Amino acid sequence: MKFTQSAVLAFAATAVAAPSATTKDEPRQAASGCSSAVTLDPSSNPFKKYTLHPNKFYRDEVTAAVAQLSDSSLAAAAAKVADVGSFLWIDTIANIAKIEPALADVPCTNILGLVIYDLPGRDCAAKASNGELKVGEISRYKSEYIDPIVTLLKAHPNTAFALVIEPDSLPNLVTNSDKDTCKNSAAGYRDGVAYAIKNLNLPNVIMYLDAGHGGWLGWDANLKPGAQELAKAFKAGGSPKQLRGIATNTAGWNAWDLSPGEFSTASDAKYNKCQNEKIYVDTFAPELKSAGMPNHAIVDTGRNAKTGLRAEWGDWCNVNGAGFGVRPTSSTGDELADAFVWIKPGGESDGTSDSSATRYDSFCGKDDAFKPAPEAGTWNQAYFEMLLQNAVPSF
Ligand code: BGC
């Protein structure tokens, strides 16, 4: 995962069931899921009916982290993090195997969040999250990654799923098309995203396409091209009706409604109206609409409690001093924002700080990045403890 130096690019450019039988009132089933098929109504907010599920994998990571804490009050606070709903990242073909076990304890009141994240040539503008599939391996992406996930989701019609589709991919095509790696990945990203949303368009699934964040597609010069890029993928995927809008701030650090925004005194601030995520969601929505795409949003608040930590808006790797943010909720105070959710599992690294590693990205060595940090996706106990200590609200 990474976020780009969009400011620079912006300069360059100017000078990125409901109607189902399953509601919160229904009794929890002994087995997983509901007693009948779930039908999510894409015209209403699924998070009003379903709670984001605290999945077993994050719960296990947190439980292991708690066991390492000798301070009993910190341990008690840490234990509460296990109950927070968060998304489970299916970041490799092998990790598709996590879906079945994650389904074992999902009550009918909950929705299981999954991140679809395995495009060929992944993370084209950075190195930290380069994936297993190489540019050109689009048929493997379809047949070995998306198809088996579709089969699994179809096999569990009584469970509700929320999907975040391919973080960073389309935003990178908007702002980083000058990079050879992104140029090479572009065709596979567009084809792959369209294929994913077309085939994952199931009644028990609601989808959100990743749209970066306010400091990325929120630049004046990026809003329209961003909306068009996303809408193009939506249409190429057959305008799937279960796609409800966008996911923003995935693994990001932006505050929801801090005003004035964190970077509003920066010299380039005049080129970006979207100085917080709320403004971004509200400003991008009409652009999406006119480009022909649904425009509701979910916003990652997993690690955005503290601001003033990043030297530059585009700094994305293991930001030092960060804290857990608002817990998942559908009370956002904004009609367009379906929910605050935890997409990035707080405690999992954004990228290694080992400069000799193949996937070392210089952003993970910056002064504002926490060190040492392990490979992307792996647990960083010290970072988890920092997030906990800096949490707002506290645990
Ligand atoms: C990593 C993935 C990981 C995800 C969630 C990404 O940056 O590349 O491997 O699953 O973060 O931690």
Side-chain angles (χ1 to χ4, degrees):
M1 272 297 295
K2 53 108 328 307
F3 297 139
T4 61
Q5 291 267 56
S6 312
V8 173
L9 287 146
F11 267 123
T14 52
V16 175
S20 86
T22 56
T23 70
K24 277 184 175 165
D25 304 319
E26 195 168 279
R28 181 180 170 146
Q29 306 297 305
S32 172
C34 302
S35 53
S36 59
V38 169
T39 306
L40 297 172
D41 175 3
S43 69
S44 72
N45 178 0
F47 292 94
K48 289 270 181 226
K49 293 204 156 57
Y50 296 92
T51 301
L52 183 63
H53 185 60
N55 74 73
K56 142 183 186 20
F57 288 93
Y58 189 56
R59 180 181 291 282
D60 289 351
E61 284 179 320
V62 171
T63 305
V66 171
Q68 291 186 47
L69 294 169
S70 46
D71 177 322
S72 62
S73 68
L74 195 61
K80 295 185 188 153
V81 182
D83 294 328
V84 179
S86 67
F87 277 71
L88 175 62
W89 290 59
I90 310 304
D91 60 339
T92 58
I93 291 165
N95 278 338
I96 296 171
K98 288 183 171 176
I99 297 177
E100 279 291 354
L103 280 165
D105 66 350
V106 184
C108 186
T109 49
N110 285 13
I111 187 164
L112 182 64
L114 301 177
V115 180
I116 302 298
Y117 191 52
D118 203 25
L119 279 171
R122 194 177 70 192
D123 207 12
C124 66
K127 289 187 171 159
S129 284
N130 290 165
E132 63 185 351
L133 298 180
K134 295 186 180 48
V135 166
E137 294 194 303
I138 187 67
S139 61
R140 289 194 63 200
Y141 178 75
K142 293 177 180 176
S143 65
E144 294 178 42
Y145 180 71
I146 296 296
D147 291 355
I149 297 175
V150 171
T151 303
L152 271 169
L153 272 43
K154 278 187 181 161
H156 293 277
N158 296 5
T159 301
F161 294 91
L163 307 183
V164 169
I165 307 292
E166 295 290 357
D168 295 358
S169 58
L170 301 181
N172 267 326
L173 301 189
V174 178
T175 62
N176 288 312
S177 54
D178 58 322
K179 290 190 165 65
D180 282 345
T181 42
C182 289
K183 239 177 252 165
N184 296 339
S185 289
Y189 283 10
R190 292 187 177 120
D191 189 3
V193 167
Y195 186 86
I197 61 177
K198 184 183 197 117
N199 289 282
L200 291 163
N201 184 38
L202 305 168
N204 56 325
V205 171
I206 205 86
M207 296 182 281
Y208 298 89
L209 194 48
D210 190 79
H213 60 92
W216 190 344
L217 296 186
W219 296 92
D220 295 350
N222 298 342
L223 283 165
K224 215 170 269 302
Q228 282 163 354
E229 184 72 51
L230 266 62
K232 201 166 72 177
F234 173 68
K235 288 171 192 167
S239 304
K241 75 176 179 38
Q242 299 302 113
L243 194 143
R244 193 166 146 81
I246 57 170
T248 92
N249 210 35
T250 301
W253 315 93
N254 291 343
W256 166 242
D257 60 1
L258 182 74
S259 183
E262 188 177 348
F263 292 95
S264 52
T265 56
S267 57
D268 56 0
K270 57 180 176 289
Y271 302 114
N272 187 329
K273 289 182 280 293
C274 304
Q275 294 288 328
N276 63 42
E277 285 304 281
K278 179 170 167 49
I279 303 173
Y280 176 49
V281 165
D282 296 346
T283 307
F284 199 42
E287 297 289 352
L288 287 167
K289 192 171 178 202
S290 64
M293 191 176 128
N295 58 8
H296 288 90
I298 54 173
V299 179
D300 190 352
T301 57
R303 307 185 299 179
N304 72 349
K306 299 274 181 199
T307 51
L309 307 169
R310 287 170 289 175
E312 316 238 19
W313 204 346
D315 291 355
W316 52 268
C317 193
N318 301 316
V319 170
N320 197 9
F324 285 123
V326 170
R327 271 41 122 201
T329 175
S330 62
S331 300
T332 65
D334 185 323
E335 262 308 297
L336 288 162
D338 283 352
F340 300 140
V341 286
W342 284 21
I343 300 176
K344 176 76 183 183
E348 293 185 9
S349 177
D350 296 311
T352 179
S353 59
D354 172 1
S355 58
S356 67
T358 310
R359 298 201 305 171
Y360 172 71
D361 190 286
S362 60
F363 274 78
C364 304
K366 289 187 81 164
D367 286 347
D368 55 10
F370 186 99
K371 295 172 215 81
E375 283 284 351
T378 52
W379 193 257
N380 187 348
Q381 177 73 15
Y383 198 85
F384 170 78
E385 290 174 25
M386 180 192 73
L387 288 171
L388 181 65
Q389 267 152 343
N390 294 336
V392 182
S394 58
F395 278 91

PDB file of all heavy atoms in Angstrom, residues 360-391:
ATOM      1  N   TYR A 360      11.862  -2.780  -0.101  1.00  0.00           N
ATOM      2  CA  TYR A 360      12.085  -1.542   0.672  1.00  0.00           C
ATOM      3  C   TYR A 360      11.687  -0.347  -0.182  1.00  0.00           C
ATOM      4  O   TYR A 360      12.132  -0.206  -1.319  1.00  0.00           O
ATOM      5  CB  TYR A 360      13.560  -1.416   1.075  1.00  0.00           C
ATOM      6  CG  TYR A 360      13.870  -0.057   1.692  1.00  0.00           C
ATOM      7  CD1 TYR A 360      13.386   0.273   2.957  1.00  0.00           C
ATOM      8  CD2 TYR A 360      14.598   0.904   0.981  1.00  0.00           C
ATOM      9  CE1 TYR A 360      13.636   1.521   3.505  1.00  0.00           C
ATOM     10  CE2 TYR A 360      14.854   2.161   1.539  1.00  0.00           C
ATOM     11  CZ  TYR A 360      14.375   2.454   2.797  1.00  0.00           C
ATOM     12  OH  TYR A 360      14.611   3.691   3.340  1.00  0.00           O
ATOM     13  N   ASP A 361      10.851   0.501   0.376  1.00  0.00           N
ATOM     14  CA  ASP A 361      10.471   1.741  -0.291  1.00  0.00           C
ATOM     15  C   ASP A 361      10.992   2.895   0.557  1.00  0.00           C
ATOM     16  O   ASP A 361      10.836   2.878   1.785  1.00  0.00           O
ATOM     17  CB  ASP A 361       8.949   1.820  -0.427  1.00  0.00           C
ATOM     18  CG  ASP A 361       8.530   2.959  -1.330  1.00  0.00           C
ATOM     19  OD1 ASP A 361       8.612   4.134  -0.893  1.00  0.00           O
ATOM     20  OD2 ASP A 361       8.142   2.688  -2.481  1.00  0.00           O
ATOM     21  N   SER A 362      11.574   3.874  -0.091  1.00  0.00           N
ATOM     22  CA  SER A 362      12.227   4.967   0.654  1.00  0.00           C
ATOM     23  C   SER A 362      11.257   5.702   1.583  1.00  0.00           C
ATOM     24  O   SER A 362      11.679   6.299   2.577  1.00  0.00           O
ATOM     25  CB  SER A 362      12.888   5.946  -0.315  1.00  0.00           C
ATOM     26  OG  SER A 362      11.917   6.482  -1.170  1.00  0.00           O
ATOM     27  N   PHE A 363       9.958   5.658   1.278  1.00  0.00           N
ATOM     28  CA  PHE A 363       8.988   6.312   2.171  1.00  0.00           C
ATOM     29  C   PHE A 363       9.014   5.680   3.566  1.00  0.00           C
ATOM     30  O   PHE A 363       8.711   6.332   4.552  1.00  0.00           O
ATOM     31  CB  PHE A 363       7.568   6.238   1.590  1.00  0.00           C
ATOM     32  CG  PHE A 363       7.274   7.361   0.626  1.00  0.00           C
ATOM     33  CD1 PHE A 363       7.753   7.316  -0.676  1.00  0.00           C
ATOM     34  CD2 PHE A 363       6.533   8.465   1.017  1.00  0.00           C
ATOM     35  CE1 PHE A 363       7.503   8.346  -1.559  1.00  0.00           C
ATOM     36  CE2 PHE A 363       6.278   9.507   0.142  1.00  0.00           C
ATOM     37  CZ  PHE A 363       6.766   9.448  -1.158  1.00  0.00           C
ATOM     38  N   CYS A 364       9.375   4.399   3.615  1.00  0.00           N
ATOM     39  CA  CYS A 364       9.409   3.710   4.910  1.00  0.00           C
ATOM     40  C   CYS A 364      10.696   4.007   5.668  1.00  0.00           C
ATOM     41  O   CYS A 364      10.879   3.545   6.806  1.00  0.00           O
ATOM     42  CB  CYS A 364       9.226   2.203   4.711  1.00  0.00           C
ATOM     43  SG  CYS A 364       7.703   1.801   3.815  1.00  0.00           S
ATOM     44  N   GLY A 365      11.568   4.799   5.043  1.00  0.00           N
ATOM     45  CA  GLY A 365      12.791   5.220   5.721  1.00  0.00           C
ATOM     46  C   GLY A 365      12.760   6.701   6.068  1.00  0.00           C
ATOM     47  O   GLY A 365      13.710   7.236   6.649  1.00  0.00           O
ATOM     48  N   LYS A 366      11.677   7.372   5.737  1.00  0.00           N
ATOM     49  CA  LYS A 366      11.599   8.815   5.995  1.00  0.00           C
ATOM     50  C   LYS A 366      11.584   9.107   7.500  1.00  0.00           C
ATOM     51  O   LYS A 366      11.267   8.241   8.312  1.00  0.00           O
ATOM     52  CB  LYS A 366      10.343   9.408   5.324  1.00  0.00           C
ATOM     53  CG  LYS A 366      10.466   9.457   3.791  1.00  0.00           C
ATOM     54  CD  LYS A 366       9.306  10.182   3.155  1.00  0.00           C
ATOM     55  CE  LYS A 366       9.502  11.693   3.234  1.00  0.00           C
ATOM     56  NZ  LYS A 366       8.601  12.410   2.304  1.00  0.00           N
ATOM     57  N   ASP A 367      11.918  10.347   7.836  1.00  0.00           N
ATOM     58  CA  ASP A 367      12.001  10.727   9.253  1.00  0.00           C
ATOM     59  C   ASP A 367      10.680  10.530  10.004  1.00  0.00           C
ATOM     60  O   ASP A 367      10.675  10.286  11.203  1.00  0.00           O
ATOM     61  CB  ASP A 367      12.408  12.208   9.383  1.00  0.00           C
ATOM     62  CG  ASP A 367      13.880  12.401   9.068  1.00  0.00           C
ATOM     63  OD1 ASP A 367      14.608  11.377   8.992  1.00  0.00           O
ATOM     64  OD2 ASP A 367      14.296  13.562   8.878  1.00  0.00           O
ATOM     65  N   ASP A 368       9.569  10.683   9.280  1.00  0.00           N
ATOM     66  CA  ASP A 368       8.277  10.562   9.975  1.00  0.00           C
ATOM     67  C   ASP A 368       7.734   9.133   9.979  1.00  0.00           C
ATOM     68  O   ASP A 368       6.610   8.893  10.426  1.00  0.00           O
ATOM     69  CB  ASP A 368       7.234  11.535   9.389  1.00  0.00           C
ATOM     70  CG  ASP A 368       7.030  11.379   7.897  1.00  0.00           C
ATOM     71  OD1 ASP A 368       7.548  10.397   7.316  1.00  0.00           O
ATOM     72  OD2 ASP A 368       6.343  12.235   7.303  1.00  0.00           O
ATOM     73  N   ALA A 369       8.529   8.179   9.497  1.00  0.00           N
ATOM     74  CA  ALA A 369       8.101   6.768   9.501  1.00  0.00           C
ATOM     75  C   ALA A 369       8.670   6.059  10.727  1.00  0.00           C
ATOM     76  O   ALA A 369       9.827   6.256  11.087  1.00  0.00           O
ATOM     77  CB  ALA A 369       8.559   6.071   8.222  1.00  0.00           C
ATOM     78  N   PHE A 370       7.827   5.236  11.330  1.00  0.00           N
ATOM     79  CA  PHE A 370       8.220   4.469  12.525  1.00  0.00           C
ATOM     80  C   PHE A 370       9.229   3.388  12.125  1.00  0.00           C
ATOM     81  O   PHE A 370       9.045   2.684  11.142  1.00  0.00           O
ATOM     82  CB  PHE A 370       6.970   3.817  13.101  1.00  0.00           C
ATOM     83  CG  PHE A 370       7.171   3.103  14.407  1.00  0.00           C
ATOM     84  CD1 PHE A 370       6.838   3.721  15.600  1.00  0.00           C
ATOM     85  CD2 PHE A 370       7.667   1.797  14.436  1.00  0.00           C
ATOM     86  CE1 PHE A 370       6.997   3.055  16.809  1.00  0.00           C
ATOM     87  CE2 PHE A 370       7.836   1.133  15.642  1.00  0.00           C
ATOM     88  CZ  PHE A 370       7.501   1.762  16.827  1.00  0.00           C
ATOM     89  N   LYS A 371      10.288   3.260  12.940  1.00  0.00           N
ATOM     90  CA  LYS A 371      11.304   2.233  12.659  1.00  0.00           C
ATOM     91  C   LYS A 371      11.728   1.542  13.947  1.00  0.00           C
ATOM     92  O   LYS A 371      11.757   2.194  14.982  1.00  0.00           O
ATOM     93  CB  LYS A 371      12.536   2.877  12.010  1.00  0.00           C
ATOM     94  CG  LYS A 371      12.246   3.466  10.656  1.00  0.00           C
ATOM     95  CD  LYS A 371      13.435   4.256  10.156  1.00  0.00           C
ATOM     96  CE  LYS A 371      13.016   5.478   9.363  1.00  0.00           C
ATOM     97  NZ  LYS A 371      12.623   6.640  10.107  1.00  0.00           N
ATOM     98  N   PRO A 372      12.101   0.264  13.931  1.00  0.00           N
ATOM     99  CA  PRO A 372      12.076  -0.577  12.739  1.00  0.00           C
ATOM    100  C   PRO A 372      10.665  -1.049  12.413  1.00  0.00           C
ATOM    101  O   PRO A 372       9.807  -1.104  13.287  1.00  0.00           O
ATOM    102  CB  PRO A 372      12.949  -1.770  13.142  1.00  0.00           C
ATOM    103  CG  PRO A 372      12.785  -1.869  14.625  1.00  0.00           C
ATOM    104  CD  PRO A 372      12.590  -0.461  15.112  1.00  0.00           C
ATOM    105  N   ALA A 373      10.477  -1.367  11.149  1.00  0.00           N
ATOM    106  CA  ALA A 373       9.181  -1.895  10.710  1.00  0.00           C
ATOM    107  C   ALA A 373       9.407  -3.113   9.824  1.00  0.00           C
ATOM    108  O   ALA A 373      10.313  -3.118   8.996  1.00  0.00           O
ATOM    109  CB  ALA A 373       8.417  -0.818   9.946  1.00  0.00           C
ATOM    110  N   PRO A 374       8.572  -4.149  10.013  1.00  0.00           N
ATOM    111  CA  PRO A 374       8.705  -5.358   9.195  1.00  0.00           C
ATOM    112  C   PRO A 374       8.024  -5.203   7.838  1.00  0.00           C
ATOM    113  O   PRO A 374       7.458  -4.150   7.536  1.00  0.00           O
ATOM    114  CB  PRO A 374       7.999  -6.409  10.049  1.00  0.00           C
ATOM    115  CG  PRO A 374       6.932  -5.645  10.758  1.00  0.00           C
ATOM    116  CD  PRO A 374       7.482  -4.256  10.986  1.00  0.00           C
ATOM    117  N   GLU A 375       8.058  -6.258   7.054  1.00  0.00           N
ATOM    118  CA  GLU A 375       7.428  -6.263   5.729  1.00  0.00           C
ATOM    119  C   GLU A 375       5.939  -5.900   5.820  1.00  0.00           C
ATOM    120  O   GLU A 375       5.274  -6.199   6.819  1.00  0.00           O
ATOM    121  CB  GLU A 375       7.548  -7.661   5.092  1.00  0.00           C
ATOM    122  CG  GLU A 375       8.930  -7.968   4.528  1.00  0.00           C
ATOM    123  CD  GLU A 375       9.215  -7.267   3.203  1.00  0.00           C
ATOM    124  OE1 GLU A 375       8.301  -6.665   2.605  1.00  0.00           O
ATOM    125  OE2 GLU A 375      10.386  -7.325   2.779  1.00  0.00           O
ATOM    126  N   ALA A 376       5.435  -5.310   4.754  1.00  0.00           N
ATOM    127  CA  ALA A 376       4.020  -4.921   4.682  1.00  0.00           C
ATOM    128  C   ALA A 376       3.124  -6.090   5.056  1.00  0.00           C
ATOM    129  O   ALA A 376       3.335  -7.210   4.598  1.00  0.00           O
ATOM    130  CB  ALA A 376       3.678  -4.443   3.281  1.00  0.00           C
ATOM    131  N   GLY A 377       2.167  -5.800   5.905  1.00  0.00           N
ATOM    132  CA  GLY A 377       1.179  -6.815   6.275  1.00  0.00           C
ATOM    133  C   GLY A 377       1.585  -7.617   7.502  1.00  0.00           C
ATOM    134  O   GLY A 377       0.753  -8.290   8.093  1.00  0.00           O
ATOM    135  N   THR A 378       2.860  -7.551   7.905  1.00  0.00           N
ATOM    136  CA  THR A 378       3.239  -8.335   9.084  1.00  0.00           C
ATOM    137  C   THR A 378       3.135  -7.481  10.349  1.00  0.00           C
ATOM    138  O   THR A 378       3.141  -6.249  10.314  1.00  0.00           O
ATOM    139  CB  THR A 378       4.630  -8.978   8.945  1.00  0.00           C
ATOM    140  OG1 THR A 378       5.556  -7.983   8.577  1.00  0.00           O
ATOM    141  CG2 THR A 378       4.636 -10.061   7.887  1.00  0.00           C
ATOM    142  N   TRP A 379       3.005  -8.175  11.452  1.00  0.00           N
ATOM    143  CA  TRP A 379       2.690  -7.526  12.715  1.00  0.00           C
ATOM    144  C   TRP A 379       3.875  -6.747  13.261  1.00  0.00           C
ATOM    145  O   TRP A 379       4.999  -7.229  13.265  1.00  0.00           O
ATOM    146  CB  TRP A 379       2.238  -8.574  13.742  1.00  0.00           C
ATOM    147  CG  TRP A 379       1.607  -7.971  14.951  1.00  0.00           C
ATOM    148  CD1 TRP A 379       2.160  -7.813  16.187  1.00  0.00           C
ATOM    149  CD2 TRP A 379       0.299  -7.415  15.029  1.00  0.00           C
ATOM    150  NE1 TRP A 379       1.268  -7.187  17.029  1.00  0.00           N
ATOM    151  CE2 TRP A 379       0.117  -6.932  16.342  1.00  0.00           C
ATOM    152  CE3 TRP A 379      -0.743  -7.256  14.096  1.00  0.00           C
ATOM    153  CZ2 TRP A 379      -1.062  -6.313  16.757  1.00  0.00           C
ATOM    154  CZ3 TRP A 379      -1.915  -6.645  14.514  1.00  0.00           C
ATOM    155  CH2 TRP A 379      -2.058  -6.188  15.835  1.00  0.00           C
ATOM    156  N   ASN A 380       3.583  -5.559  13.755  1.00  0.00           N
ATOM    157  CA  ASN A 380       4.611  -4.755  14.409  1.00  0.00           C
ATOM    158  C   ASN A 380       4.093  -4.413  15.812  1.00  0.00           C
ATOM    159  O   ASN A 380       3.291  -3.489  15.984  1.00  0.00           O
ATOM    160  CB  ASN A 380       4.878  -3.481  13.595  1.00  0.00           C
ATOM    161  CG  ASN A 380       6.064  -2.703  14.145  1.00  0.00           C
ATOM    162  OD1 ASN A 380       6.537  -2.985  15.247  1.00  0.00           O
ATOM    163  ND2 ASN A 380       6.532  -1.730  13.374  1.00  0.00           N
ATOM    164  N   GLN A 381       4.548  -5.180  16.770  1.00  0.00           N
ATOM    165  CA  GLN A 381       4.039  -5.055  18.141  1.00  0.00           C
ATOM    166  C   GLN A 381       4.209  -3.633  18.683  1.00  0.00           C
ATOM    167  O   GLN A 381       3.290  -3.072  19.278  1.00  0.00           O
ATOM    168  CB  GLN A 381       4.766  -6.068  19.044  1.00  0.00           C
ATOM    169  CG  GLN A 381       4.385  -6.013  20.510  1.00  0.00           C
ATOM    170  CD  GLN A 381       2.999  -6.575  20.793  1.00  0.00           C
ATOM    171  OE1 GLN A 381       2.397  -7.264  19.943  1.00  0.00           O
ATOM    172  NE2 GLN A 381       2.453  -6.297  21.965  1.00  0.00           N
ATOM    173  N   ALA A 382       5.379  -3.062  18.471  1.00  0.00           N
ATOM    174  CA  ALA A 382       5.631  -1.727  19.022  1.00  0.00           C
ATOM    175  C   ALA A 382       4.692  -0.697  18.386  1.00  0.00           C
ATOM    176  O   ALA A 382       4.214   0.232  19.048  1.00  0.00           O
ATOM    177  CB  ALA A 382       7.089  -1.330  18.794  1.00  0.00           C
ATOM    178  N   TYR A 383       4.441  -0.891  17.120  1.00  0.00           N
ATOM    179  CA  TYR A 383       3.553   0.053  16.426  1.00  0.00           C
ATOM    180  C   TYR A 383       2.123  -0.090  16.943  1.00  0.00           C
ATOM    181  O   TYR A 383       1.419   0.905  17.157  1.00  0.00           O
ATOM    182  CB  TYR A 383       3.598  -0.189  14.909  1.00  0.00           C
ATOM    183  CG  TYR A 383       3.076   0.981  14.112  1.00  0.00           C
ATOM    184  CD1 TYR A 383       3.914   2.054  13.785  1.00  0.00           C
ATOM    185  CD2 TYR A 383       1.751   1.048  13.715  1.00  0.00           C
ATOM    186  CE1 TYR A 383       3.428   3.152  13.081  1.00  0.00           C
ATOM    187  CE2 TYR A 383       1.258   2.137  13.011  1.00  0.00           C
ATOM    188  CZ  TYR A 383       2.103   3.181  12.698  1.00  0.00           C
ATOM    189  OH  TYR A 383       1.619   4.275  12.005  1.00  0.00           O
ATOM    190  N   PHE A 384       1.715  -1.329  17.161  1.00  0.00           N
ATOM    191  CA  PHE A 384       0.379  -1.585  17.725  1.00  0.00           C
ATOM    192  C   PHE A 384       0.233  -0.887  19.084  1.00  0.00           C
ATOM    193  O   PHE A 384      -0.767  -0.218  19.359  1.00  0.00           O
ATOM    194  CB  PHE A 384       0.171  -3.098  17.875  1.00  0.00           C
ATOM    195  CG  PHE A 384      -1.052  -3.468  18.668  1.00  0.00           C
ATOM    196  CD1 PHE A 384      -2.321  -3.416  18.106  1.00  0.00           C
ATOM    197  CD2 PHE A 384      -0.937  -3.878  19.997  1.00  0.00           C
ATOM    198  CE1 PHE A 384      -3.452  -3.757  18.848  1.00  0.00           C
ATOM    199  CE2 PHE A 384      -2.058  -4.219  20.743  1.00  0.00           C
ATOM    200  CZ  PHE A 384      -3.323  -4.156  20.163  1.00  0.00           C
ATOM    201  N   GLU A 385       1.243  -1.022  19.928  1.00  0.00           N
ATOM    202  CA  GLU A 385       1.177  -0.401  21.264  1.00  0.00           C
ATOM    203  C   GLU A 385       1.102   1.122  21.160  1.00  0.00           C
ATOM    204  O   GLU A 385       0.387   1.779  21.919  1.00  0.00           O
ATOM    205  CB  GLU A 385       2.393  -0.835  22.103  1.00  0.00           C
ATOM    206  CG  GLU A 385       2.315  -2.308  22.492  1.00  0.00           C
ATOM    207  CD  GLU A 385       3.563  -2.835  23.204  1.00  0.00           C
ATOM    208  OE1 GLU A 385       4.301  -2.024  23.821  1.00  0.00           O
ATOM    209  OE2 GLU A 385       3.809  -4.052  23.135  1.00  0.00           O
ATOM    210  N   MET A 386       1.820   1.656  20.183  1.00  0.00           N
ATOM    211  CA  MET A 386       1.752   3.107  19.981  1.00  0.00           C
ATOM    212  C   MET A 386       0.344   3.536  19.545  1.00  0.00           C
ATOM    213  O   MET A 386      -0.213   4.514  20.064  1.00  0.00           O
ATOM    214  CB  MET A 386       2.788   3.514  18.921  1.00  0.00           C
ATOM    215  CG  MET A 386       2.820   4.993  18.631  1.00  0.00           C
ATOM    216  SD  MET A 386       3.797   5.335  17.152  1.00  0.00           S
ATOM    217  CE  MET A 386       2.670   4.730  15.903  1.00  0.00           C
ATOM    218  N   LEU A 387      -0.229   2.786  18.595  1.00  0.00           N
ATOM    219  CA  LEU A 387      -1.598   3.101  18.140  1.00  0.00           C
ATOM    220  C   LEU A 387      -2.573   3.078  19.312  1.00  0.00           C
ATOM    221  O   LEU A 387      -3.462   3.926  19.427  1.00  0.00           O
ATOM    222  CB  LEU A 387      -2.059   2.093  17.083  1.00  0.00           C
ATOM    223  CG  LEU A 387      -1.427   2.184  15.691  1.00  0.00           C
ATOM    224  CD1 LEU A 387      -1.837   0.973  14.846  1.00  0.00           C
ATOM    225  CD2 LEU A 387      -1.832   3.466  14.975  1.00  0.00           C
ATOM    226  N   LEU A 388      -2.382   2.103  20.169  1.00  0.00           N
ATOM    227  CA  LEU A 388      -3.264   1.939  21.328  1.00  0.00           C
ATOM    228  C   LEU A 388      -3.119   3.127  22.288  1.00  0.00           C
ATOM    229  O   LEU A 388      -4.108   3.712  22.742  1.00  0.00           O
ATOM    230  CB  LEU A 388      -2.891   0.626  22.024  1.00  0.00           C
ATOM    231  CG  LEU A 388      -3.692   0.234  23.237  1.00  0.00           C
ATOM    232  CD1 LEU A 388      -5.141  -0.048  22.855  1.00  0.00           C
ATOM    233  CD2 LEU A 388      -3.083  -1.025  23.880  1.00  0.00           C
ATOM    234  N   GLN A 389      -1.868   3.475  22.570  1.00  0.00           N
ATOM    235  CA  GLN A 389      -1.640   4.570  23.515  1.00  0.00           C
ATOM    236  C   GLN A 389      -2.127   5.915  22.984  1.00  0.00           C
ATOM    237  O   GLN A 389      -2.500   6.789  23.755  1.00  0.00           O
ATOM    238  CB  GLN A 389      -0.156   4.640  23.892  1.00  0.00           C
ATOM    239  CG  GLN A 389       0.073   3.834  25.156  1.00  0.00           C
ATOM    240  CD  GLN A 389       1.471   3.252  25.271  1.00  0.00           C
ATOM    241  OE1 GLN A 389       2.209   3.164  24.288  1.00  0.00           O
ATOM    242  NE2 GLN A 389       1.831   2.846  26.469  1.00  0.00           N
ATOM    243  N   ASN A 390      -2.130   6.039  21.664  1.00  0.00           N
ATOM    244  CA  ASN A 390      -2.550   7.311  21.061  1.00  0.00           C
ATOM    245  C   ASN A 390      -3.989   7.282  20.559  1.00  0.00           C
ATOM    246  O   ASN A 390      -4.412   8.184  19.833  1.00  0.00           O
ATOM    247  CB  ASN A 390      -1.624   7.652  19.889  1.00  0.00           C
ATOM    248  CG  ASN A 390      -0.206   7.941  20.355  1.00  0.00           C
ATOM    249  OD1 ASN A 390       0.001   8.324  21.504  1.00  0.00           O
ATOM    250  ND2 ASN A 390       0.762   7.759  19.486  1.00  0.00           N
ATOM    251  N   ALA A 391      -4.721   6.244  20.900  1.00  0.00           N
ATOM    252  CA  ALA A 391      -6.080   6.099  20.361  1.00  0.00           C
ATOM    253  C   ALA A 391      -6.991   7.245  20.791  1.00  0.00           C
ATOM    254  O   ALA A 391      -6.948   7.703  21.926  1.00  0.00           O
ATOM    255  CB  ALA A 391      -6.684   4.770  20.818  1.00  0.00           C
TER     256      ALA A 391
END
